[in-house]
């Protein structure tokens, strides 16, 4: 606080030398003239003094036989005259302040958070229909009405919050992920259903909860075979079929079968070897328009591009309608290389692990593995078969034609 007051009132840094500098400082103290930051170099003293005190130094210097020289002028009283002398700087500073104030009245960025099902493109199109877009005046944004319209337009949104932070419009939403309900099963299967095999093999276990089983444990089945029928016969007293009732077949049927595995890898591959040479181009993005600040051509035969951009933000929350970025062009050469045995085993092993992980995610139990890595004319090959057990049974509706005369 004291340093700020000294700056506002102004002070000078002086050099004192001569017959009796020590007496000079004592007389200044007696006359309540403040001296600070005093340093001595040989017979010369350096110190700071306020403007008011400086104007009273002449009689003290004459009385003590010392000389005083001004080394530096500091503070606001010296800064303002120098500033006013530079008219272009003052005008530029005033224009910058005006531009800063003018841009703060508009929306220059819109951010959406919390969306999973609704894409940003769909939401931006919705905002444009509501008249909300980048570059509009902040006073034209009705936050309350916007929140209501979002909830009316999107049934999946259960909560929304919109607010202005500087020149950025932030919209947060929460989606109801439980809106999707299963279809009415009675309507889906009005005449009951059958279970057919979607996977062939040998039945190892079978539990039927509803329907008439058409197969048994240990039996070989093929894809498409009828496993459980939804047509349940109702018998007379003499064991003849009086009619059929139709139900939804329900059972847990597991089959054992083999799955072929085959993955290939060529002997040679093309690797990108970077040369270390690169070029940069700077650009400015305004809305959807891009302006490149460099016109030099890229002469590299092969290269990739790394883009880096950032918004221009004067202060936190005050984003300007421009973004600045760079394109980095990195040169590389296509070099043909050959896989070693260790590299081939590692890459084919990764593919094999992905196959096993996919099967486990589907609930398939792996009983036996018979897979090996070998070579063929074109490259490496991983082949063999897996013995697995998995659940089978595809529910299919019974068509109305099947219920014609049998219900009578």
């Amino acid at each position: 606080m004291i340093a700020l007051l000294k700056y506002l009132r102004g002070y000078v840094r002086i050099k004192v030398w001569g017959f009796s500098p020590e007496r000079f400082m004592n007389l200044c103290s007696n006359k309540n003239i403040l001296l600070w930051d005093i340093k001595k170099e040989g017979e010369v003293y350096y110190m700071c003094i306020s403007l008011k005190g400086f104007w009273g130094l002449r009689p003290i210097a004459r009385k003590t036989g010392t000389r005083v020289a001004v080394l530096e002028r500091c503070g606001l009283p010296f800064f303002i005259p120098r500033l006013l002398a530079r008219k272009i700087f003052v005008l530029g500073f005033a224009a910058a302040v005006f531009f800063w104030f003018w841009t703060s009245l508009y929306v220059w960025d819109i951010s959406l958070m919390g969306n999973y099902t609704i894409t940003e493109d769909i939401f931006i199109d919705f905002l444009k229909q509501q008249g909300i877009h980048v570059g509009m005046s902040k006073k034209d944004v009705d936050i309350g009405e916007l929140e209501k319209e979002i909830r009316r337009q999107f049934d999946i949104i259960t909560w929304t919050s919109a607010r202005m932070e500087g020149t950025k419009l932030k919209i947060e939403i929460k989606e109801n992920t439980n809106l999707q309900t299963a279809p009415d099963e009675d309507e889906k299967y009005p005449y009951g259903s059958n279970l057919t095999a979607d996977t062939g093999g040998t039945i190892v276990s079978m539990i039927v909860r509803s329907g008439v089983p058409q197969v048994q444990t240990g039996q070989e089945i093929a894809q498409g075979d009828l496993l459980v029928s939804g047509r349940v016969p109702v018998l007379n007293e003499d064991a003849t079929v009086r009619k059929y009732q139709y139900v939804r077949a329900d059972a847990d049927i597991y089959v054992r079968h083999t799955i072929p595995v085959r993955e290939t890898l060529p002997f040679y591959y093309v690797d990108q070897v970077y040369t270390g040479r690169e070029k940069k181009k700077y650009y400015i993005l305004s809305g959807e328009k891009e302006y490149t600040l460099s016109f030099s051509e890229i002469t590299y035969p092969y290269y990739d591009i790394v883009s880096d951009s950032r918004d221009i933000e004067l202060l936190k929350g005050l984003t300007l309608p421009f973004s600045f970025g760079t394109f980095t062009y990195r040169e590389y050469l296509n070099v043909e290389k050959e896989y070693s045995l260790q590299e081939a085993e590692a890459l084919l092993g990764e593919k094999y692990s992905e196959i096993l992980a996919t099967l486990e995610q589907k609930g398939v139990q792996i009983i036996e593995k018979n897979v090996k890595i070998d070579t063929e004319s074109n490259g490496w090959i991983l082949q063999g078969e897996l013995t697995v057990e998995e659940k089978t049974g595809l529910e299919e509706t019974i068509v109305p034609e099947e219920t014609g005369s049998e219900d009578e």
Side-chain angles (χ1 to χ4, degrees):
M1 187 64 182
I2 296 177
L4 177 61
L5 292 176
K6 292 178 180 178
Y7 180 83
L8 294 177
R9 294 178 179 178
Y11 64 93
V12 293
R13 185 160 183 80
I14 60 176
K15 177 174 71 172
V16 179
W17 74 99
F19 178 71
S20 181
E22 293 80 2
R23 188 184 176 198
F24 170 86
M25 290 184 286
N26 289 333
L27 289 177
C28 287
S29 177
N30 292 335
K31 293 184 176 294
N32 294 325
I33 298 176
L34 179 62
L35 303 175
W36 70 91
D37 198 12
I38 301 173
K39 295 181 181 179
K40 181 180 180 183
E41 294 183 4
E43 299 298 327
V44 180
Y45 286 84
Y46 298 89
M47 61 197 73
C48 293
I49 184 172
S50 65
L51 285 182
K52 182 179 179 181
F54 177 76
W55 298 119
L57 291 183
R58 180 173 294 179
I60 298 176
R62 188 183 301 113
K63 188 173 182 179
T64 57
T66 55
R67 299 183 63 185
V68 179
V70 177
L71 300 178
E72 186 180 359
R73 298 173 176 84
C74 306
L76 193 61
F78 300 105
F79 174 74
I80 291 179
R82 289 199 301 267
L83 183 64
L84 295 177
R86 302 178 180 179
K87 296 181 180 179
I88 296 179
F89 174 80
V90 174
L91 292 176
F93 179 77
V97 173
F98 173 77
F99 178 75
W100 181 13
F101 173 75
W102 177 74
T103 55
S104 66
L105 302 178
Y106 295 86
V107 178
W108 298 119
D109 190 16
I110 299 176
S111 66
L112 175 64
M113 294 175 289
N115 60 308
Y116 298 98
T117 305
I118 304 172
T119 63
E120 290 192 10
D121 293 337
I122 294 177
F123 200 84
I124 292 299
D125 291 339
F126 159 74
L127 292 179
K128 289 180 179 179
Q129 294 175 1
Q130 302 302 317
I132 306 297
H133 56 85
V134 173
M136 69 178 299
S137 176
K138 292 197 296 186
K139 66 179 181 180
D140 295 335
V141 181
D142 189 340
I143 297 295
E145 185 62 28
L146 175 61
E147 292 176 346
K148 294 178 182 177
E149 194 61 35
I150 291 174
R151 290 191 293 268
R152 282 196 294 263
Q153 184 71 22
F154 301 98
D155 295 335
I156 196 172
I157 295 179
T158 59
W159 175 86
T160 180
S161 172
R163 65 183 184 276
M164 293 295 307
E165 289 189 3
T167 58
K168 179 181 291 187
L169 174 60
K170 284 191 173 183
I171 301 175
E172 295 183 46
I173 63 175
K174 287 185 179 180
E175 299 177 353
N176 184 4
T177 58
N178 298 322
L179 278 181
Q180 297 180 350
T181 58
D184 192 337
E185 299 296 340
D186 294 334
E187 295 180 359
K188 186 176 180 182
Y189 303 104
Y191 299 96
S193 63
N194 297 326
L195 282 183
T196 59
D198 54 353
T199 302
T202 304
I203 298 177
V204 293
S205 68
M206 182 173 178
I207 300 176
V208 179
R209 287 182 288 271
S210 177
V212 180
Q214 305 296 310
V215 293
Q216 59 185 356
T217 303
Q219 181 177 338
E220 290 285 339
I221 60 172
Q223 184 177 3
D225 287 352
L226 179 62
L227 302 178
V228 180
S229 174
R231 298 170 66 243
V232 180
V234 180
L235 303 179
N236 295 313
E237 294 180 357
D238 58 355
T240 58
V241 177
R242 181 165 60 90
K243 66 175 182 177
Y244 287 93
Q245 291 182 343
Y246 292 87
V247 298
R248 288 184 58 198
D250 184 16
D252 292 334
I253 304 173
Y254 288 86
V255 296
R256 178 176 296 182
H257 64 104
T258 58
I259 298 177
V261 176
R262 179 182 173 86
E263 293 290 340
T264 59
L265 186 71
F267 286 127
Y268 300 95
Y269 66 99
V270 177
D271 187 22
Q272 294 181 354
V273 179
Y274 290 91
T275 64
R277 296 199 304 169
E278 62 180 34
K279 289 184 179 180
K280 287 189 176 182
K281 286 187 177 182
Y282 298 91
Y283 68 90
I284 295 177
L285 188 65
S286 176
E288 298 180 355
K289 294 184 178 180
E290 182 181 293
Y291 304 94
T292 304
L293 304 181
S294 176
F295 300 96
S296 60
E297 295 184 359
I298 306 300
T299 58
Y300 302 148
Y302 304 101
Y303 59 88
D304 60 14
I305 304 174
V306 179
S307 176
D308 180 26
S309 64
R310 62 189 65 186
D311 295 331
I312 301 177
E313 195 173 31
L314 296 179
L315 293 175
K316 185 177 181 180
L318 183 58
T319 304
L320 295 183
F322 310 102
S323 60
F324 174 80
T326 59
F327 290 125
T328 302
Y329 300 82
R330 303 186 302 173
E331 183 189 30
Y332 65 84
L333 300 177
N334 289 325
V335 180
E336 188 179 71
K337 295 184 178 181
E338 183 179 2
Y339 286 115
S340 65
L341 174 60
Q342 293 77 10
E343 291 174 334
E345 289 178 345
L347 292 173
L348 290 174
E350 290 180 1
K351 294 182 179 181
Y352 180 53
S353 299
E354 291 177 359
I355 294 174
L356 297 180
T358 302
L359 292 175
E360 291 177 355
Q361 289 178 357
K362 294 179 179 179
V364 178
Q365 184 179 0
I366 301 173
I367 305 302
E368 185 179 353
K369 305 173 184 176
N370 184 17
V371 178
K372 63 179 181 178
I373 297 177
D374 205 346
T375 59
E376 57 181 8
S377 60
N378 296 327
W380 302 91
I381 181 173
L382 181 144
Q383 62 180 351
E385 61 182 18
L386 302 173
T387 302
V388 301
E389 290 183 4
E390 63 176 309
K391 187 177 181 179
T392 186
L394 179 64
E395 190 172 13
E396 295 181 350
T397 184
I398 300 176
V399 295
E401 288 76 12
E402 295 182 4
T403 66
S405 62
E406 296 172 344
D407 284 339
E408 297 177 359

